[in-house]
Amino acid sequence: MPAPALPSVTEQAERLIALGATGPLDPDALRKEAAALPDRPGLLVVGGARPSELAPLLRRADRPGFVVEDMTDVDDFAPVAGVPDAAVWLLTDPDRGDHLTNASPAEADARFAAEGRTPMLLTEGVQWVLQVPEVLERNFCFMTIGSRLRKPSGRFDARTPAVWISGGTGRDGRDRKDAPKIGWCWWNNRHTWLGFGSGAGRVVPGHHG
């Protein structure tokens, strides 16, 4: 199923401002940065926005989003590869990766490399859901394997961040049923209800090619 259409970059900036989701930028700075992006479809991403601060701003079924209790280090999940040295950028052609459901993150990563796709960062995935909440559908949610946690040893933590919908069980609690949820899965595990977020590339302000 195609991803829901995104509003214009200007409209996306105003939505982030209205939600208080501008990260380290003040509203005027975000408007200025967004205005310098090319006029083309894509997801406006604030580079310094922290997932832990964005999660409560998510909404589904009138319930706020949250981070699972055993992911207190959510903001330490950093880009695996380099990202633009810019306050904002445009992630072009964001996709939920439904065709990759039941693949492991390792397998999906290999597919993206072969196809020239860019694995989505956790902060990109969360900001995508902020803009178009209907991206999250029951049984069709997504992992964000562009972000991983590196251990002091230099190896990656086996957890892989994902954005999905709470079932209201276990430590989530019944009052969180149907709420947007930031959690994690194991790097080599498969899930029939999780795809893999990706984009065609990242474009920075001032680039109009």
Side-chain angles (χ1 to χ4, degrees):
M1 179 183 294
L6 280 157
S8 69
V9 169
T10 299
E11 290 173 300
Q12 290 182 60
E14 291 304 322
R15 177 165 174 79
L16 294 179
I17 290 166
L19 291 171
T22 62
L25 301 177
D26 63 47
D28 287 341
L30 177 56
R31 290 186 179 104
K32 181 179 179 180
E33 294 285 349
L37 284 166
D39 184 18
R40 56 195 285 192
L43 172 69
L44 171 63
V45 179
V46 178
R50 297 164 66 89
S52 65
E53 296 174 352
L54 297 178
L57 305 177
L58 298 170
R59 286 291 185 280
R60 186 179 184 279
D62 293 324
R63 299 180 189 275
F66 66 99
V67 180
V68 295
E69 290 185 10
D70 57 356
M71 203 175 181
T72 56
D73 51 3
V74 64
D75 292 333
D76 296 329
F77 282 73
V80 173
V83 297
D85 183 18
V88 305
W89 60 79
L90 197 68
L91 180 70
T92 59
D93 189 27
D95 182 76
R96 198 170 58 184
D98 293 353
H99 63 295
L100 294 173
T101 53
N102 213 33
S104 70
E107 292 164 341
D109 193 44
R111 283 281 297 274
F112 288 149
E115 297 168 358
R117 297 283 297 178
T118 299
M120 193 175 283
L121 306 178
L122 175 58
T123 188
E124 291 173 333
V126 176
Q127 290 180 67
W128 192 21
V129 179
L130 280 175
Q131 295 289 353
V132 279
E134 58 270 31
V135 161
L136 281 189
E137 290 185 76
R138 181 72 67 185
N139 299 321
F140 291 98
C141 299
F142 59 95
M143 297 191 210
T144 53
I145 61 175
S147 297
R148 296 191 70 186
L149 177 64
R150 196 177 290 275
K151 298 179 179 180
S153 65
R155 294 189 174 190
F156 285 119
D157 189 283
R159 293 172 297 163
T160 306
V163 188
W164 74 90
I165 300 166
S166 174
T169 59
R171 286 183 290 180
D172 288 1
R174 278 190 284 181
D175 60 329
R176 284 174 165 169
K177 181 176 171 57
D178 296 326
K181 169 179 176 177
I182 296 176
W184 57 270
C185 305
W186 298 119
W187 178 253
N188 287 309
N189 283 9
R190 297 179 174 86
H191 297 276
T192 58
W193 46 277
L194 283 173
F196 294 85
S198 70
R202 299 182 177 102
V203 182
V204 298
H207 179 88
H208 295 276

